[in-house]
């Protein structure tokens, strides 16, 4: 890690990237490595690939101000919508939800259950009403369960997500270079959901639209 940061500090970004990636193969769940890989890729002019690394790092360390700051900066560079500007209540809820990982929502739910048990026991001993602690516990547990469930089906979707790394990737109706094009073009940096893979092609979903693009035009995020 020291060799990689030294190479980065002296401006040898390609060498630093190689060293960080070697470390990443041994510890892929370490967000600091992904963050530094993103920094190297940005310095090399590979902004969309940098965005993919920052996105992956954000899922592992969602409250890191450095990761979120660099991710927001690269999104602006690629003319992508800001993550922090919620345009409606739903986007605001998603923004707040993604400040915790699914395992952290589970842990929070466990603490709510523990606190509810203590509060309910105290109310029973004092012969007081348990309606308020029961209602509050149900609301908090429901919020934790919904956050976990929706994250599993979106932000941490097991089918996989990717970032478009080529400029204006051509979306086709079938996995063939001569197939008719779809009626939309994927901009560089677009986050897509991977639905199917066939040899050199991937079927992706973006904002409700599905199409086939070359696998080489994507970098997997999750």
């Amino acid at each position: 890690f020291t060799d990689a940061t030294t190479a980065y500090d002296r401006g040898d970004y390609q060498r630093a990237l190689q060293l960080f990636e070697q470390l990443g193969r041994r510890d892929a769940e370490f967000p600091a490595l992904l963050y530094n890989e993103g920094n190297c890729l940005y310095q090399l002019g590979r902004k969309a690939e940098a965005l993919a690394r920052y996105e992956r790092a954000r899922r592992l360390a969602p409250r890191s101000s450095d990761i979120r700051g660099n991710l927001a900066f690269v999104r602006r560079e690629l003319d992508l919508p800001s993550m922090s500007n919620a345009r409606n209540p739903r986007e605001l809820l998603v923004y707040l939800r993604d400040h915790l990982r699914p395992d952290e929502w589970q842990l929070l739910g466990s603490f709510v259950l523990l606190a509810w048990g203590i509060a309910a026991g105290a109310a029973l001993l004092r012969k007081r009403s348990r309606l308020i602690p029961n209602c509050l516990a149900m609301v908090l547990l429901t919020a934790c369960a919904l956050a976990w469930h929706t994250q599993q089906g979106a932000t941490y979707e097991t089918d996989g997500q990717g970032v478009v790394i080529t400029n204006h990737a051509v979306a086709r109706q079938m996995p063939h270079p001569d197939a008719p094009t779809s009626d939309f073009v994927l901009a560089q940096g677009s986050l897509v959901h991977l639905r199917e893979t066939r040899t050199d092609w991937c079927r992706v979903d973006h904002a409700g639209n599905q199409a086939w693009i070359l696998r080489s035009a994507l970098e997997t995020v999750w």
Side-chain angles (χ1 to χ4, degrees):
F1 191 91
T2 301
D3 291 342
T5 54
T6 299
Y8 184 90
D9 290 340
R10 68 169 180 259
D12 191 354
Y13 304 120
Q14 187 61 51
R15 175 61 177 163
L17 177 62
Q18 291 172 352
L19 291 171
F20 282 127
E21 287 180 335
Q22 287 173 11
L23 291 169
R25 282 191 285 271
R26 293 187 298 173
D27 192 358
E29 297 300 304
F30 191 31
L33 290 177
L34 295 166
Y35 170 76
N36 282 287
E37 288 172 17
N39 291 343
C40 293
L41 287 165
Y42 178 82
Q43 295 292 350
L44 292 168
R46 296 155 63 180
K47 296 179 182 179
E49 292 173 74
L51 184 145
R53 305 298 168 92
Y54 292 144
E55 282 281 4
R56 197 179 309 160
R58 180 177 68 87
R59 283 158 173 73
L60 297 171
R63 293 177 301 284
S64 169
S65 58
D66 289 337
I67 293 171
R68 282 186 167 270
N70 282 20
L71 179 57
F73 177 78
V74 173
R75 289 182 69 87
R76 287 195 299 270
E77 292 272 297
L78 293 171
D79 294 324
L80 296 172
S82 171
M83 295 172 53
S84 58
N85 293 336
R87 293 167 293 183
N88 53 59
R90 181 181 179 277
E91 290 186 359
L92 178 60
L93 288 174
V94 170
Y95 176 75
L96 295 174
R97 178 201 69 187
D98 285 347
H99 274 67
L100 293 179
R101 299 191 307 264
D103 61 307
E104 292 174 331
W105 281 113
Q106 289 179 321
L107 183 60
L108 180 59
S110 299
F111 279 122
V112 170
L113 276 175
L114 177 61
W116 170 78
I118 294 172
L124 183 63
L125 289 173
R126 295 178 183 179
K127 297 182 179 181
R128 292 182 178 179
S129 171
R130 288 176 287 172
L131 179 61
I132 293 178
N134 286 352
C135 291
L136 183 60
M138 288 303 298
V139 169
L140 292 175
L141 284 172
T142 301
C144 291
L146 284 173
W148 176 85
H149 179 72
T150 56
Q151 275 188 327
Q152 292 293 87
T155 309
Y156 296 83
E157 186 179 21
T158 54
D159 287 345
Q161 295 179 339
V163 167
V164 178
I165 60 174
T166 60
N167 193 23
H168 298 298
V170 179
R172 299 189 180 277
Q173 296 178 15
M174 295 295 291
H176 192 278
D178 296 328
T181 58
S182 297
D183 56 358
F184 68 98
V185 176
L186 293 169
Q188 188 179 34
S190 298
L191 184 67
V192 298
H193 296 266
L194 280 64
R195 300 305 185 195
E196 184 180 352
T197 301
R198 291 188 189 175
T199 59
D200 297 331
W201 294 85
C202 292
R203 183 167 63 88
V204 300
D205 185 312
H206 178 66
N209 297 307
Q210 293 197 11
W212 292 87
I213 64 174
L214 285 169
R215 190 186 183 105
S216 59
L218 283 175
E219 177 162 339
T220 303
V221 172
W222 199 255

